[in-house]
Amino acid sequence: MDGKKSSYFRFYRTAFILVIFCVMFIGFTMVMLCSKLYKDEKFYELEAVSSLFIDDIKEEFQQTNTMYSGNITRLHDGFIKNYNISIYVYDGDGNCLLAPANQTQNKLAPSLMEKLDKDSYLDFDAHDVSEKEPSVLYGDKFYVRYGEGEPQKMYLASYSSTDSLNLFNFKLMAAYILSCAFCITIARLILKKQQKKYDMTAENFLRVCKQYSKGDFSEKINITTPGNLQETSKYVNLMASNMEKSDETSKTFIANVSHELRTPMTTIGGFVDGILDGTIPKSRQQEYLILVSKEIKRLRILISSMLNITKYESGTLKPNFSKTNLTDLVIQTVLMFEKKIDEKNLEIEGLDSDRLVAEVDSDLIQQVVYNLVENATKFVNKNGTISFRFEKADGNCIIGIKNTGEGLKNDEIQQVFDRFYKTDSSRGKDTTGLGLGLSISRKIVHLHNGHIIVRSVYGEYTEFAVQLPEKQNEQN
């Protein structure tokens, strides 16, 4: 699978872009915040030093009444040297009174003087010192008194180099770029690894699904990654298991149908050929024609069962109700198994019961009876007994068919009406059955608004009881 075509590639590409954006945004925000904090600290530092210098100047001036005393000069030089700043003092007309050594004593710019008359000033400045080397400027006005005279206005301008700020910002930006590169690289490696892991998982998922589409269910999907794909794989594996089971069942079903159809057709063909070529004498032709008729009825019921399964599931199986003698219908069906009954030397009981009549679809109910009698003759023990009972109770007709023999286990009773289900014991005794008889029987009985139940004691007997309404409701 091409990684760039996978949905995970698009997802991780989007995730990677988001990671880049988030890392850069968070990093840039942190850089700006740190830079501002450092700048504010430096500004505050300059303001504090300048304010301290003004206080000291005012105190010295009160004692000497001049800006040119030795103490003020030493104080001025000391602040410049200790705090690495440039301090200028101007009189009220903007004339420079104090300036750093070797610096031109220019007048205070009128624009700055106007600002300082309104309030103190603290910001970047390049005009008054050097346009090529911007500095941080703190400016303020203060007053001194000459003896008993009026207070005289003075101006202070302190300049601090931006080298430390520039260096800090450079280091901060370098750390930001390196951190972004590191985080983005790590994120890319992690996301790439995850993408590869999920791509391999998806590729394995797709490969096994392709095998399933070709009918190969030998391999199961093994998904270890958490999330919806793991849950999906469980259901796909379950679906594949059901398909595999259904496929095997269908193959068995087709093989059994072929066998079930071939047996009566072979019998019918053999008897007809025997009559035509004279192998069967005329004196016994009637006897064999009766057998052919029974096999044809058996074949018709078998085909009807298979067709009715499809009709029931599509909702097109509709009973054609009419009054039917259930006792006679059961007797006619039992006669179709006369050969098997004789072969096992079985005893038949209960067919001499009173006449039982109900509104049913005779063809469908005959299929039910046929399936139940067929089951009874298959699983009854040799020299055993098949008993029939016919009862009426609360407007219902009940037909019971009971055979002696091995019986059913408790867990088998719960599944005996399932489609294609065969008990463990029946697999050996009934290698050709379709496993459809009891399933379609229950469906037909339900279409008649009735019930079918099974009772069994393992090792003793099995009995199926069919309960049908004596009269169907108008809407049915």
Side-chain angles (χ1 to χ4, degrees):
M1 179 189 294
D2 186 356
K4 293 186 177 181
K5 292 182 179 180
S6 73
S7 57
Y8 291 110
F9 171 77
R10 292 189 291 272
F11 171 77
Y12 285 118
R13 180 180 60 186
T14 303
F16 183 59
I17 292 173
L18 287 175
V19 167
I20 293 175
F21 176 78
C22 290
V23 167
M24 293 184 68
F25 177 77
I26 294 171
F28 181 76
T29 303
M30 292 299 295
V31 166
M32 295 301 295
L33 180 62
C34 292
S35 178
K36 184 178 184 306
L37 290 174
Y38 187 76
K39 184 194 78 171
D40 290 346
E41 181 184 351
K42 288 299 180 181
F43 277 26
Y44 174 77
E45 233 177 68
L46 179 61
E47 181 181 9
V49 170
S50 300
S51 298
L52 179 61
F53 179 76
I54 290 174
D55 292 339
D56 290 347
I57 285 289
K58 290 168 68 175
E59 184 177 343
E60 287 293 331
F61 190 85
Q62 284 181 351
Q63 297 177 7
T64 61
N65 285 326
T66 179
M67 281 289 176
Y68 302 105
S69 68
N71 288 337
I72 289 180
T73 301
R74 284 191 294 270
L75 183 66
H76 179 252
D77 293 341
F79 266 82
I80 291 175
K81 181 178 180 181
N82 292 332
Y83 295 106
N84 195 27
I85 59 177
S86 299
I87 301 175
Y88 295 82
V89 178
Y90 302 89
D91 62 17
D93 296 324
N95 298 313
C96 185
L97 301 179
L98 289 174
N102 303 321
Q103 292 290 332
T104 304
Q105 297 184 2
N106 296 323
K107 290 191 68 172
L108 183 62
S111 58
L112 180 57
M113 186 185 301
E114 186 179 349
K115 292 178 183 177
L116 297 182
D117 283 334
K118 295 178 181 178
D119 199 0
S120 60
Y121 178 85
L122 179 61
D123 207 338
F124 291 104
D125 182 83
H127 184 270
D128 296 304
V129 179
S130 171
E131 294 184 0
K132 296 182 180 178
E133 297 180 5
S135 302
V136 179
L137 166 63
Y138 174 76
D140 201 2
K141 67 179 178 179
F142 63 95
Y143 293 89
V144 295
R145 186 188 297 272
Y146 288 95
E148 298 299 325
E150 292 293 325
Q152 299 295 315
K153 182 167 62 174
M154 298 283 184
Y155 296 101
L156 173 85
S158 299
Y159 295 90
S160 175
S161 173
T162 58
D163 289 346
S164 61
L165 278 175
N166 293 336
L167 180 61
F168 177 80
N169 287 335
F170 174 77
K171 291 180 178 179
L172 196 61
M173 187 59 67
Y176 161 68
I177 293 172
L178 291 175
S179 298
C180 283
F182 177 77
C183 291
I184 291 171
T185 301
I186 294 298
R188 184 179 183 278
L189 291 175
I190 293 174
L191 291 175
K192 193 70 177 177
K193 183 178 180 181
Q194 286 296 106
Q195 180 198 340
K196 185 176 180 181
K197 179 181 178 182
Y198 276 94
D199 280 346
M200 289 178 63
T201 299
E203 185 175 354
N204 179 60
F205 185 92
L206 182 61
R207 179 180 57 81
V208 177
C209 285
K210 284 182 178 178
Q211 290 182 204
Y212 290 167
S213 68
K214 296 175 182 177
D216 180 4
F217 304 101
S218 59
E219 187 178 356
K220 294 293 182 285
I221 301 173
N222 182 22
I223 302 296
T224 56
T225 53
N228 291 338
L229 195 58
Q230 188 177 52
E231 192 72 15
T232 302
S233 68
K234 291 180 182 178
Y235 288 109
V236 172
N237 283 335
L238 179 61
M239 180 179 67
S241 297
N242 291 337
M243 289 173 64
E244 183 178 17
K245 182 179 178 182
S246 177
D247 189 51
E248 290 296 324
T249 303
S250 298
K251 290 177 182 177
T252 304
F253 172 70
I254 292 171
N256 290 343
V257 166
S258 300
H259 188 284
E260 287 289 306
L261 293 176
R262 189 184 301 115
T263 301
M265 290 176 68
T266 301
T267 302
I268 292 169
F271 290 163
V272 171
D273 289 343
I275 292 172
L276 292 175
D277 62 17
T279 304
I280 298 174
K282 289 185 178 181
S283 59
R284 299 194 62 187
Q285 285 181 5
Q286 184 66 24
E287 174 188 346
Y288 281 95
L289 286 174
I290 292 174
L291 293 176
V292 167
S293 177
K294 289 180 180 179
E295 288 298 319
I296 290 173
K297 288 180 180 179
R298 176 187 170 193
L299 191 60
R300 178 176 62 82
I301 291 174
L302 178 63
I303 294 172
S304 295
S305 293
M306 290 184 289
L307 292 176
N308 286 336
I309 279 282
T310 304
K311 288 181 180 179
Y312 182 88
E313 291 179 347
S314 64
T316 58
L317 182 60
K318 304 294 182 183
N320 183 20
F321 297 114
S322 62
K323 285 188 177 181
T324 303
N325 187 332
L326 299 178
T327 308
D328 287 348
L329 186 146
V330 171
I331 292 172
Q332 292 170 14
T333 307
V334 171
L335 290 175
M336 297 169 68
F337 294 89
E338 185 177 359
K339 184 178 179 182
K340 288 186 178 180
I341 292 171
D342 291 339
E343 287 175 353
K344 283 192 171 183
N345 193 28
L346 304 178
E347 183 177 349
I348 305 299
E349 299 177 346
L351 290 181
D352 55 350
S353 299
D354 293 337
R355 185 170 177 263
L356 192 66
V357 178
E359 287 184 1
V360 298
D361 185 312
S362 58
D363 289 337
L364 292 177
I365 293 301
Q366 186 173 30
Q367 284 186 40
V368 174
V369 175
Y370 180 91
N371 292 331
L372 296 179
V373 174
E374 183 183 40
N375 258 26
T377 56
K378 281 180 181 177
F379 303 115
V380 66
N381 56 308
K382 195 171 184 179
N383 301 317
T385 302
I386 299 178
S387 305
F388 296 87
R389 63 184 175 93
F390 302 89
E391 300 175 358
K392 281 187 179 182
D394 301 324
N396 292 310
C397 297
I398 300 171
I399 303 171
I401 302 174
K402 178 181 180 181
N403 66 275
T404 58
E406 186 176 346
L408 298 170
K409 299 176 183 177
N410 289 334
D411 59 330
E412 293 174 340
I413 292 176
Q414 303 298 323
Q415 305 176 70
V416 75
F417 290 107
D418 292 348
R419 187 177 180 181
F420 298 122
Y421 176 76
K422 289 186 178 183
T423 64
D424 291 338
S425 60
S426 72
R427 295 180 193 281
K429 297 177 181 178
D430 179 25
T431 58
T432 62
L434 305 179
L436 285 174
L438 294 178
S439 175
I440 187 60
S441 295
R442 181 170 64 173
K443 290 175 171 60
I444 291 173
V445 171
H446 287 172
L447 280 175
H448 284 74
N449 303 300
H451 302 284
I452 181 170
I453 59 174
V454 57
R455 304 183 186 92
S456 184
V457 175
Y458 188 66
E460 295 185 20
Y461 72 88
T462 299
E463 181 182 24
F464 287 89
V466 178
Q467 177 182 300
L468 299 168
E470 190 174 356
K471 292 183 179 181
Q472 296 293 330
N473 295 331
E474 291 281 332
Q475 61 269 31
N476 296 323

